[in-house]
Amino acid sequence: MELEKIITSFEPQYNSLNLKLYSSLIPNVVVLMDKDKLKQVIYNLLSNSLKYSKSNGEVILTLTSKDDNIIVELKDNGIGISEKDLPFIFERLYRSDESRDKNTGGNGIGLTIVKAIVEAHNSTINVKSTLGEGSTFVLMFPKSILKPDK
């Protein structure tokens, strides 16, 4: 499964920063979308969690099925996003005050790209976050664009 390969490729980076990366994935799910675009979405989300996690933090990526959707959820216990910044995080070039640290880099377009890719595939992305406690990104893909792995 591509998702497993992406997670495995990030493990050394997480380990080098004393971060734990966990995953729980239901088997035999294939998203009928451009493989490279899906990689880019997951890569951007895992990169952000890596950048904004606290030392000894945890990141959990799950793939589940509920009703007519396949759900990818990425949850971290990093620095979080303030309530005033949440409505703007998917806007081009937007960076919250907390993310303007010189060590994290970035130019504020990663989440804009993620949202554009997800929405181009008739899917949604939402975020819940509390400043100082972490963030949870939830991607929902309708089952109509998914098929079982053969």
Side-chain angles (χ1 to χ4, degrees), residues 38-149:
L38 179 60
K39 279 184 181 179
Q40 187 174 10
V41 166
I42 301 303
Y43 179 87
N44 282 353
L45 293 175
L46 285 172
S47 292
N48 281 352
S49 287
L50 181 67
K51 285 181 201 175
Y52 301 115
S53 286
K54 301 173 190 171
S55 183
N56 298 313
E58 294 181 348
V59 175
I60 303 166
L61 193 144
T62 59
L63 174 69
T64 59
S65 176
K66 183 178 179 188
D67 301 325
D68 291 330
N69 295 297
I70 296 297
I71 302 161
V72 176
E73 182 176 286
L74 189 126
K75 180 177 184 174
D76 67 49
N77 60 356
I79 65 170
I81 304 163
S82 72
E83 192 174 323
K84 72 175 179 68
D85 289 321
L86 270 176
F88 308 106
I89 64 165
F90 293 110
E91 289 185 11
R92 189 172 177 268
L93 304 179
Y94 186 81
R95 293 191 64 202
S96 69
D97 290 338
E98 293 79 18
S99 70
R100 294 183 192 276
D101 184 302
K102 65 181 177 184
N103 297 319
T104 58
N107 53 18
I109 62 170
L111 289 177
T112 304
I113 293 168
V114 165
K115 185 173 183 180
I117 292 170
V118 169
E119 289 181 347
H121 289 86
N122 298 317
S123 302
T124 61
I125 182 167
N126 294 295
V127 62
K128 294 177 253 174
S129 188
T130 302
L131 191 59
E133 295 181 19
S135 302
T136 302
F137 286 84
V138 179
L139 296 89
M140 293 181 53
F141 299 95
K143 283 186 179 175
S144 62
I145 66 166
L146 303 172
K147 70 173 184 179
D149 196 11

Side-chain angles (χ1 to χ4, degrees), residues 2-25 42-43 46-47 50 57 59-61:
E2 258 340 285
L3 197 49
E4 290 170 338
K5 289 179 186 175
I6 297 167
I7 293 166
T8 301
S9 74
F10 269 90
E11 286 175 346
Q13 295 170 67
Y14 275 78
N15 290 338
S16 72
L17 296 174
N18 293 321
L19 301 171
K20 300 291 183 202
L21 177 58
Y22 301 105
S23 64
S24 175
L25 312 174
I42 301 303
Y43 179 87
L46 285 172
S47 292
L50 181 67
V59 175
I60 303 166
L61 193 144

